[in-house]
């Protein structure tokens, strides 16, 4: 197998008459060693079914095919999706292990195979919704590594009481333990983006509850962070019918209503949601 070099990436793009689209976050990795590193950090095993979102011209796909049992790639741009198997056949003996779907990742809710590891250089403008969507719809995803804009990586991996902690951090924590896994220079992309990138790794933990609880937890998270500077007794007052009732209910489960959403862990949000569900059942 040979990884794609910078000149080959540019050649392929010229051949396809591809002008990288900003709105589709088309910044292609031109350094094969970075792709190898991402696959190594993701700890891809020989029995893994790897899911890649946005394979683009195939840099990371080729590195993944070196390690995984098979790769399922989902690419929204049909020109790239059509070219990918051709590129892979040229550079690898493992073309039969690749399946490509032309689709928006957000529209994919099932696959004929069960992916076990997610490895992707995510399109920047939809990285958070795509990441959360995949964790929700593909419970067989055990772990993975995604490359995202540095600021988004910091938000996904943030812990309570930090400036970066917010909706993406808490929702991701519902599904998985998420942590930063290193920085990536903007010079390894073509075209070079005007932001830095970082790797984020995740490892799925045991479910914290069923879908009823998750939906309630996510609704409460949205409310708590909608007005970030406000206290919980104010932001959550619509659920309880007023801030005094909110404060009393929160206190009954050991949560101080004068705190802000940013102080709560995912477990605190679960405690609040469980109490709301119990009250509604009477
Ligand atoms: N994996 C390639 C690499 O590392 O060189 C390309 C990564 S590039 C940052 C993002 C890729 O995601 C592009 O190929 C783009 O066409 C694709 N893409 C953008 N939005 C998408 C979506 N909603 N669903 C699937 N693919 C998408």
């Amino acid at each position: 197998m040979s990884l794609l070099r910078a000149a080959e990436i540019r050649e392929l793009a010229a051949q396809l008459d591809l002008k990288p689209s900003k709105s589709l976050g088309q910044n292609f990795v031109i350094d094969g060693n970075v792709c190898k590193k991402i696959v190594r950090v993701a700890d891809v095993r020989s029995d893994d079914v790897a899911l890649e979102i946005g394979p683009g011209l195939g840099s990371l796909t080729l590195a993944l095919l070196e390690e995984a049992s098979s790769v399922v790639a989902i690419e929204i741009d049909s020109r790239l999706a059509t070219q990918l198997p051709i590129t892979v056949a040229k550079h690898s003996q493992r073309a039969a292990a690749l399946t490509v779907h032309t689709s928006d990742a957000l529209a994919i809710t099932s696959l004929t195979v069960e992916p076990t590891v997610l490895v992707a250089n995510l399109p920047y403008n939809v990285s958070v919704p795509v990441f959360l969507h995949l964790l929700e719809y593909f419970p067989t995803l055990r772990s993975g590594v995604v490359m995202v804009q540095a600021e988004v990586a910091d938000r996904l991996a943030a812990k309570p009481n930090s400036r970066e902690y917010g909706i993406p951090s808490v929702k991701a924590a519902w599904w998985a333990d998420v942590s930063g896994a290193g920085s990536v220079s903007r010079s390894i992309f073509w075209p070079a983006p005007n932001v830095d990138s970082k790797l984020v790794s995740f490892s799925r933990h045991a479910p914290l509850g069923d879908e009823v609880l998750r939906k309630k937890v996510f609704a409460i998270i949205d409310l708590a962070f909608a007005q970030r500077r406000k206290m919980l007794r104010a932001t959550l007052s619509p659920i309880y019918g007023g801030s005094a009732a909110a404060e009393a209910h929160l206190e009954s489960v050991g949560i101080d209503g004068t705190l802000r959403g940013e102080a709560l862990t995912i477990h605190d949000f679960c405690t609040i949601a469980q109490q709301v569900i119990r009250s509604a059942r009477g």
Side-chain angles (χ1 to χ4, degrees):
M1 192 211 64
S2 59
L3 296 174
L4 294 175
R5 292 190 306 265
E8 284 167 318
I9 300 261
R10 289 201 187 88
E11 232 169 75
L12 257 175
Q15 189 188 314
L16 295 174
D17 195 22
L18 179 82
K19 311 262 177 300
S21 152
K22 251 197 166 156
S23 64
L24 291 180
Q26 291 180 339
N27 300 96
F28 304 105
V29 175
I30 52 174
D31 183 337
N33 288 327
V34 170
C35 295
K36 276 189 168 174
K37 181 187 158 188
I38 294 172
V39 173
R40 198 171 53 241
V41 173
D43 194 23
V44 176
R45 306 195 293 230
S46 58
D47 59 347
D48 267 324
V49 177
L51 176 61
E52 185 186 5
I53 304 302
L57 291 164
S59 319
L60 187 54
T61 320
L62 283 165
L64 270 173
L65 282 165
E66 280 271 270
E67 303 298 334
S69 153
S70 60
V71 175
V72 182
I74 298 168
E75 172 58 61
I76 201 168
D77 186 328
S78 61
R79 293 166 305 171
L80 295 175
T82 306
Q83 175 63 34
L84 187 60
I86 302 166
T87 305
V88 167
K90 197 170 150 198
H91 289 265
S92 161
Q93 305 294 312
R94 304 218 52 239
L98 172 69
T99 311
V100 185
H101 296 285
T102 308
S103 173
D104 179 345
L106 289 168
I108 299 272
T109 54
S110 67
L111 290 165
T112 50
V113 290
E114 296 190 328
T116 54
V117 64
L118 170 68
V119 184
N121 173 13
L122 289 177
Y124 286 0
N125 40 356
V126 287
S127 52
V128 170
V130 166
F131 184 60
L132 294 176
H133 174 87
L134 297 173
L135 285 168
E136 177 178 349
Y137 284 94
F138 296 96
T140 54
L141 282 175
R142 168 195 86 239
S143 59
V145 168
V146 291
M147 177 146 70
V148 293
Q149 196 176 323
E151 187 194 311
V152 172
D154 292 344
R155 278 198 257 140
L156 282 172
K159 303 295 173 244
N161 290 314
S162 63
R163 196 166 48 86
E164 293 82 9
Y165 189 66
I167 292 175
S169 343
V170 209
K171 288 189 177 173
W174 166 269
W175 306 108
D177 299 321
V178 180
S179 53
S183 303
V184 180
S185 156
R186 60 183 80 176
S187 67
I188 60 120
F189 295 98
W190 174 78
N194 44 22
V195 289
D196 288 317
S197 298
K198 282 188 180 174
L199 301 180
V200 170
S201 70
F202 72 92
S203 173
R204 188 182 288 272
H205 53 58
L208 300 182
D210 60 14
E211 269 299 282
V212 174
L213 181 66
R214 183 187 69 78
K215 286 191 174 136
K216 189 58 80 185
V217 167
F218 278 28
I220 293 172
I221 292 169
D222 287 337
L223 272 179
F225 286 96
Q227 295 162 289
R228 215 185 148 88
R229 300 311 308 156
K230 284 202 170 172
M231 294 174 188
L232 290 170
R233 66 181 177 204
T235 54
L236 302 189
S237 65
I239 303 177
Y240 302 101
S243 60
E247 186 149 31
H249 276 94
L250 289 168
E251 199 180 310
S252 76
V253 289
I255 290 175
D256 179 354
T258 65
L259 291 175
R260 297 185 173 85
E262 65 199 26
L264 303 194
T265 65
I266 184 63
H267 301 287
D268 294 327
F269 280 106
C270 288
T271 302
I272 297 172
Q274 277 155 347
Q275 195 268 340
V276 171
I277 292 169
R278 271 197 311 273
S279 307
R281 286 182 185 148

